Amino acid sequence: MSVVGIDVGFQNCYIAVARSGGIETIANEYSDRCTPACVSLASKNRMIGNAAKSQIITNFKNTVHGFKKFHGRAFDDPFVQAEKPKLPYSLHKLANGNTGIKVRYLDEDKAFTVEQITGMLLTKLKETSESALKKPVVDCVISVPSFFTDAERRSVFDATQIAGLNCLRLINDTTAVALAYGIYKQDLPTPEERPRNVVFVDMGHSSFQVSITAFNKGKLKVLATAFDLYLGGRNFDETLVDYFCEEFKGKYKLNVRDNPRALLRLHQECEKLKKLMSANSSDLPLNIECFMNDIDVSSRMNRMQFEDMCAQYLMRVEMPLKAALEQSKLSRDDIYGVEIVGGATRMPAIKERIAKFFGKDISTTLNADEAVARGCALQVGVFFYLICFPVYYTNSLKFMICNVVNVFSLSCEVFSKNHAAPFSKVITFHKKEPFDLEAFYSCPQELPYPDHRIGRFSVHNVVPQPDGDSSKVKVKVRVNVHGIFSVSSASLIEKQKGEGEDMQIDSEPLVQNEGRAEEQEGASGEKQDPAAGGSKPKVKVKSIDLPIVANNIRQLDSDVLSNFVEYERQMIIQDKLVKELNDAKNAVEEYVYDLRDKLCGMYEKYVTEEDSNRLTLMLEDTENWLYEDGEDQPKQVYEEKLEGLKRLGQPIQDRHREHEDRPRAFEELGKKL
Ligand code: ATP
Ligand code: K
Ligand code: MG
């Protein structure tokens, strides 16, 4: 079974897979490697990706895009509240306080969770992978921004489950990019040499991420991660939109903001204009026909003017670069290269600022759009490569162990910033009764999130020692491969001193244990202190597993999740039925056009004029029927209609074929004779 790597972008998604020839990016049914992060709900079905993007204007209230940052966020979150008025679709406060997305689907009002919407998108990406690879796809590696918190990661993880995917790993965008870079570099320093320090800069549609990674052969260490959560390509689009809205107000007396369709069109045109300005510094036109109230609008813009307008955003480029450099404790001279990815780094003004800050030319070794997806595919592909290409890929084997990096440090320095994951730590407490642990991020000021709490974990069944003393409680905390935090186990260490009759109290057999208590996962057991024995009083240590109850974790309840899984399955079936119906209807239409063409062309000689006229009339009737009574019929009706037409068309086609085949048959016969 293949494992795919998926970059779920705010605007654009990419899929890559490790195959025998290397890493490949998968194209969708439009031969497009990019699938827009867009979902459109309609009265009979859903459209996802490219098909949904074409509905952005026509079905604006029910076409959802720009939802990635709603993961793990409450409806009252300041970010959600700030986005709300800008969205063409409605947001809704769900019963649990989370952000719901309100649309009309199957002629009913529905509030979907962001996990469901991302689940829909992932369903599409799964289907695209399956049709490209011609086999089922379940296992995947998915990228998330390095700054995604526990709640956001849990939410994305739930979305993968809704789509029926098995997410092997959530990996940070910046880690994926570093992998994509490192795997092909054959000239990395050996482990004994000084590492090669590379800066990776990714500016997408919604955010800006920077990381500094040290490479040696087969080893990768993330030295620093920094970001601007809210700086991305869309800020530049919005600047243009604001400008033209103002201009059209004066010039054409149009209130564009009152008209969602016009506003969305302006958005699309401004994004196109922005891209054109990246390649062209001259004056460029903006023309939109029938923009609003039947008015055509036009204007002009050039790169210099645009950059002036965007000064406030361009200014922000430097901050994360500086923060990353400081965090890495490197000087500019220690930097080997600066690699850029992400669509928005194509803007010359952004490139210039990055180059200027590091005093270096920037390199574009990586495919700016596909690097993240390719890195995701690599994360699982390394092992595969080792088998297929032992020589070429051996160097990169150790990339497997540098996984998720935690960009926020957890409280009491349990996990430091940029610590690789998975990682566990055991903390010892001395307690006489059950207690709660609160996990939170220790630097709230750098958190993308108003709430720095991760969750509360209650450790139950804690009792004092028989002599009334506090018990030693060992708690294991863990950040798993996805960068998700948990208190994975807790155990109470019961010390039993004594000799002679004391020993009798404990009649259970002693279990010799090689590991230390903190390394023992799951099972409870007894162990004997290795130092004990001989004539000294024996000290036995008994470790008792304690139940842990997690509270306030922002993740879907398991029964809610399974309902969503089931609902997604139903929607997939519904979409399939609608597709089959449409296919049946299209088949009738195609047959009508095809036969009509041929009747006055290649079939002309094989049909009497009378029959031809009758058939032509019938085809015309069918065509009219398709637009009237036949617009909305069950699949079977279209199938019967097609059969009826074929009954008349087939004999003509047969006569034609027979005639075509005859000379060939004679030829064959001639050869035999
Ligand atoms: P994010 O990483 O924030 O989740 P994403 O991965 O979907 O978003 P990308 O696909 O990397 O984002 O980049 C999309 C952005 O890049 C858009 O704002 C788009 O307009 C911009 N972009 C693409 N090409 C160009 C170009 N030639 N000039 C300027 N901007 C561009
Ligand atoms: K992307
Ligand atoms: Mg991206």
Side-chain angles (χ1 to χ4, degrees), residues 627-655:
Y627 289 101
E628 288 156 16
D629 295 347
E631 165 103 64
D632 198 4
Q633 293 288 334
K635 185 172 122 191
Q636 199 193 345
V637 174
Y638 296 115
E639 285 170 350
E640 281 164 7
K641 202 77 175 177
L642 183 63
E643 301 244 313
L645 291 175
K646 278 187 173 170
R647 267 197 296 276
L648 299 171
Q650 198 61 43
I652 308 171
Q653 188 182 333
D654 291 345
R655 284 199 290 277

Side-chain angles (χ1 to χ4, degrees), residues 13-172:
C13 304
Y14 290 83
I15 315 165
V17 63
R19 294 223 261 197
S20 51
I23 299 286
E24 268 175 48
T25 313
I26 291 176
N28 59 28
E29 75 268 40
Y30 299 87
S31 306
D32 200 343
R33 293 173 182 213
C34 165
T35 296
C38 193
V39 175
S40 187
L41 290 306
S43 63
K44 298 217 167 59
N45 63 341
R46 317 176 288 179
M47 274 155 274
I48 308 168
N50 302 56
K53 196 180 172 187
S54 65
Q55 302 293 311
I56 283 185
I57 293 167
T58 47
N59 185 15
F60 68 89
K61 281 191 180 158
N62 303 306
T63 303
V64 189
H65 44 101
F67 51 86
K68 175 167 158 180
K69 288 201 163 160
F70 298 146
H71 276 288
R73 283 184 195 261
F75 179 77
D76 296 327
D77 184 297
F79 172 77
V80 176
Q81 287 305 310
E83 286 290 292
K84 202 168 152 266
K86 293 194 276 177
L87 298 169
Y89 54 89
S90 309
L91 296 184
H92 173 81
K93 188 170 182 167
L94 298 172
N96 61 2
N98 280 357
T99 308
I101 292 155
K102 222 166 119 178
V103 285
R104 254 188 108 65
Y105 172 56
L106 304 185
D107 297 322
E108 275 175 52
D109 286 332
K110 284 266 170 206
F112 287 106
T113 64
V114 65
E115 292 84 7
Q116 284 179 291
I117 299 287
T118 297
M120 296 179 195
L121 181 61
L122 289 169
T123 288
K124 177 74 194 175
L125 297 167
K126 181 175 187 275
E127 286 169 2
T128 299
S129 315
E130 287 174 343
S131 63
L133 302 174
K134 299 186 180 63
K135 57 183 163 188
V137 169
V138 176
D139 294 335
C140 65
V141 172
I142 300 215
S143 70
V144 291
S146 61
F147 51 78
F148 258 26
T149 57
D150 203 71
E152 289 168 298
R153 284 167 200 264
R154 285 175 189 271
S155 175
V156 173
F157 191 76
D158 284 344
T160 63
Q161 288 187 281
I162 293 172
L165 287 166
N166 173 34
C167 180
L168 301 176
R169 226 169 262 261
L170 291 177
I171 95 169
N172 291 347

Side-chain angles (χ1 to χ4, degrees), residues 7-14 34 37 68-69 145 147 173 202-209 229 231-237 270-279 306 341-348 368-369 372:
D7 168 10
V8 185
F10 189 91
Q11 186 186 53
N12 304 307
C13 304
Y14 290 83
C34 165
K68 175 167 158 180
K69 288 201 163 160
F147 51 78
D173 287 339
D202 176 357
M203 191 186 286
H205 194 50
S206 66
S207 57
F208 182 40
Q209 305 181 60
L229 290 164
L231 181 64
R234 67 187 195 133
N235 298 101
F236 299 93
D237 301 346
C270 285
E271 189 182 2
K272 279 186 213 156
L273 179 65
K274 174 188 75 174
K275 291 182 184 175
L276 284 175
M277 284 192 283
S278 293
F306 176 49
V341 297
T345 57
R346 294 198 175 96
M347 285 178 62
D369 297 313
V372 173

